[in-house]
Amino acid sequence: MSTERPDNDVTGPRRRRPPLAVASVAAAVLLAGGGGAYWASTAAGDGDKADSGSSARGEALPLALDAPAGDGSSRTSPDSPPPGIAPGEPDPGGPPVIYRAAGELPDGPDEAAVHHAKGTVASGDVARLAKALGIPGSPRTEGTSWVVGDDDGPGALLKVTKQAPGTWTFARSTPPKPCAPGTMCANGASEAGGDPVSEKAAKAAAVPVLKATGQDDAALNAGQLMGDVRVVNADPRIDGLPTYGWSTGVQVGPDGTVTGGSGHLKALEKGDAYPTVGADEALKQLNAASRGKGDAERDIGGCATPVPHQGEPKPSDPQCVPSNGKRAPVEQTVEDAVFGLALNYVDGRQTLVPSWLFTVRQAPGGPENTVTQVAVDPEFIEKPETPAPSGDRKVTSYGADGRTLEVTFWGGVCSTYTASAKESAGQVAISVTEKPQEGKKACIMIAKELTRTVTLEKPLGDRTVIDAASGGAVPRG
């Protein structure tokens, strides 16, 4: 009896396979409005591992991911956990997704390094970007950000967070034409837009901005339209690898002017290198996570037979009717696998982590999306601890400027909140305490995003900010 496995069976032991051709990964516009995803990079790797961080086989510490490594994430906003479901991400309220490879999968490199941003953004870097955007004036400080331009009315405004990775956002608004004397018109009325510029013209308009952010050699995609605005998305290659979730977006209006954009201004630094797994093993981990870390028989309601593949079932295909009310897994086809770097949080810091980028198609002829899976060998990933329950508010993000720490959290409108910090050599633990307002007999149940300021004894520097209530690292906002 033959023991040969079919090509799309990814459940067996890892085999040495020839790598697939590296295909271009579709540019990820990760927030509505293209370029509204705050991500970009000024790093350009040279592919030389001689100056990389410590090898995992030597001095590297376990990789402390802030989310499970097997979550199959292709999230729309890594700055905070998304409220909805990202393209390609399994719906936790729906059936599990099972990914089947259409052909052989590559092995990838034996090890690869993480990349992260450290330090602060210099005013000179902000001034260079402002000049490329055509904004007059010098950078000024507002809270934890650099600001250039007019924030009191129509005009152009650039904001850059001082702390790495230097998140920047830019918007240009055009004042509406005044109403004719004696007539009534709506507030904010403006001229109707024109036709979008060509992709070539949009890329040409974006080049000075991309050069100012160190992205002039990035792969460009100008296919996205927002009405009459064309969006140029730039996805860099770092250390010779494609990236996912680390894009710059530049919006170009019908007159060829840059009207908006966002990205990161602080260059990435190469960190520790870790042993990696091949695409076969990564796909197995992705499927295990999709099933909710349970076995297939339990997920499909007690069925002991495989789920039929896509397409019309053949008489010989095993059939299964769930008996426990759960829906059977939905199959999606993996058409390509590329080794690259995908955005994750490591100790609260935005980090590009070695990952497999799977090109997935849900149905024949349907749209493609990208699903990512961390490629670091699980033995080198730190197991998260379960925090003790706490009644304090969870901190969702922070901004830092020297000794000033601005912490953000969700709270109600009928309570007062105070924030405090407990400092140590390697971290700062933030607590947000809630106190109901006295005399409030009735209160509307409305949650608001709130901010409180904490003054530290010493500048934050490279210390990790953690939430004292959950024990988890807090991402920079």
Side-chain angles (χ1 to χ4, degrees):
M1 182 175 64
S2 173
T3 59
E4 184 176 354
R5 295 185 299 160
D7 286 342
N8 57 3
D9 181 0
V10 296
T11 60
R14 178 178 175 186
R15 296 186 295 171
R16 300 299 297 179
R17 292 176 166 179
L20 296 176
V22 177
S24 60
V25 179
V29 179
L30 302 171
L31 280 183
Y38 316 135
W39 317 324
S41 164
T42 57
D46 58 7
D48 183 4
K49 292 188 177 182
D51 60 350
S52 66
S54 302
S55 169
R57 307 182 191 279
E59 303 173 359
L61 296 175
L63 189 64
L65 290 174
D66 294 348
D71 65 352
S73 62
S74 57
R75 295 194 175 95
T76 56
S77 176
D79 286 358
S80 60
I85 307 303
E89 188 170 358
D91 182 351
V97 178
I98 302 300
Y99 300 95
R100 304 282 186 186
E104 293 187 343
L105 297 176
D107 287 323
D110 292 333
E111 67 175 34
V114 299
H115 292 73
H116 42 229
K118 295 182 178 181
T120 57
V121 176
S123 61
D125 295 332
V126 179
R128 184 175 65 252
L129 177 57
K131 182 178 180 181
L133 292 166
I135 310 175
S138 300
R140 64 184 185 275
T141 295
E142 287 189 5
T144 59
S145 299
W146 292 110
V147 177
V148 186
D150 182 13
D151 55 1
D152 294 325
L157 178 66
L158 170 67
K159 286 190 174 183
V160 184
T161 57
K162 291 184 177 180
Q163 193 70 33
T167 299
W168 66 269
T169 57
F170 167 69
R172 189 192 309 276
S173 58
T174 303
K177 287 187 175 182
C179 296
T183 63
M184 180 180 295
C185 60
N187 291 333
S190 59
E191 285 188 285
D195 295 326
V197 297
S198 66
E199 293 190 22
K200 182 178 180 180
K203 290 179 181 179
V207 164
V209 179
L210 297 174
K211 186 175 182 179
T213 60
Q215 291 297 303
D216 47 319
D217 60 348
L220 306 183
N221 185 314
Q224 185 193 4
L225 289 175
M226 296 165 40
D228 58 6
V229 175
R230 188 173 292 279
V231 182
V232 180
N233 294 290
D235 291 290
R237 293 183 69 87
I238 297 176
D239 219 15
L241 298 173
T243 59
Y244 184 86
W246 203 255
S247 301
T248 297
V250 180
Q251 301 169 10
V252 181
D255 61 352
T257 300
V258 175
T259 60
S262 61
H264 283 159
L265 196 54
K266 186 66 177 177
L268 289 169
E269 296 181 11
K270 195 170 186 177
D272 291 330
Y274 293 91
T276 59
V277 299
D280 266 349
E281 177 62 27
L283 196 60
K284 287 174 61 179
Q285 295 174 12
L286 182 62
N287 282 330
S290 177
R291 294 185 179 108
K293 297 184 180 179
D295 54 45
E297 287 77 15
R298 184 175 72 248
D299 287 336
I300 62 177
C303 298
T305 53
V307 178
H309 287 231
Q310 288 182 344
E312 294 297 324
K314 300 176 182 178
S316 59
D317 278 335
Q319 303 298 309
C320 174
V321 178
S323 60
N324 65 353
K326 293 184 180 181
R327 286 177 286 177
V330 174
E331 287 197 4
Q332 295 190 10
T333 301
V334 174
E335 297 190 342
D336 197 9
V338 178
F339 189 88
L341 300 169
L343 184 61
N344 282 263
Y345 272 103
V346 177
D347 275 338
R349 178 183 297 157
Q350 293 185 41
T351 304
L352 288 180
V353 176
S355 302
W356 283 101
L357 315 180
F358 294 112
T359 301
V360 174
R361 194 185 300 274
Q362 184 170 359
E368 292 181 347
N369 53 49
T370 299
V371 177
T372 70
Q373 173 63 32
V374 170
V376 174
D377 188 321
E379 293 184 8
F380 293 85
I381 295 177
E382 183 177 297
K383 303 299 186 293
E385 297 181 0
T386 302
S390 171
D392 289 345
R393 289 286 168 173
K394 181 179 180 180
V395 179
T396 57
S397 64
Y398 77 91
D401 182 12
R403 295 174 56 213
T404 301
L405 205 65
E406 290 184 353
V407 297
T408 303
F409 58 95
W410 288 92
V413 296
C414 296
S415 297
T416 57
Y417 300 91
T418 57
S420 60
K422 183 178 181 180
E423 301 181 50
S424 64
Q427 66 183 26
V428 175
I430 299 296
S431 298
V432 175
T433 304
E434 177 182 7
K435 181 180 180 181
Q437 296 178 9
E438 296 181 3
K440 290 282 186 179
K441 295 183 178 180
C443 183
I444 54 175
M445 300 296 290
I446 296 179
K448 295 179 61 179
E449 193 173 43
L450 304 173
T451 300
R452 294 293 182 269
T453 300
V454 179
T455 301
L456 304 177
E457 295 177 0
K458 299 179 180 180
L460 177 64
D462 288 333
R463 289 184 293 175
T464 300
V465 176
I466 68 168
D467 174 47
S470 65
V474 178
R476 289 189 177 96

